[in-house]
Amino acid sequence: MARQVQYTFKGTTKVIAFSYDRFVDLYEAVAAAEGVDLAGFLAMEQQVAKTAKDKAAIKNFRQQAFTKMGFSNITFLRDES
């Protein structure tokens, strides 16, 4: 089943194809589509994961970091068939 991700990057809404064979999660997919380097982000995310007491802190960090990069409304599109 083909999946699609819809996101807004710097005010422009876009839709891209998504596959778990190529990407770990939808955040990695949208960053790759826009050519954003995630090396620094991934290192900091690992540090947050080591010190966080729950997964909500990691999710919150990820959402805030991607908002600072210019991304918003990152979601999977539902299959209409």
Side-chain angles (χ1 to χ4, degrees), residues 17-34:
F18 176 83
S19 171
Y20 281 111
D21 292 341
R22 292 187 57 209
F23 304 108
V24 175
D25 60 12
L26 61 153
Y27 290 96
E28 185 181 309
V30 298
E34 296 299 332

Side-chain angles (χ1 to χ4, degrees), residues 2-72:
R3 293 179 183 252
Q4 293 184 323
V5 175
Q6 180 177 350
Y7 65 98
T8 304
F9 183 66
K10 296 185 179 178
T12 305
T13 301
K14 300 178 181 181
V15 176
I16 60 170
F18 176 83
S19 171
Y20 281 111
D21 292 341
R22 292 187 57 209
F23 304 108
V24 175
D25 60 12
L26 61 153
Y27 290 96
E28 185 181 309
V30 298
E34 296 299 332
V36 176
D37 181 24
L38 293 181
F41 164 77
L42 292 173
M44 188 60 149
E45 186 180 45
Q46 286 179 348
Q47 292 296 319
V48 171
K50 289 178 183 177
T51 60
K53 295 181 180 177
D54 60 358
K55 292 190 184 256
I58 300 166
K59 183 178 178 181
N60 187 31
F61 170 75
R62 184 178 301 134
Q63 288 174 342
Q64 288 181 355
F66 272 80
T67 299
K68 288 178 185 176
M69 290 181 218
F71 292 96
S72 62

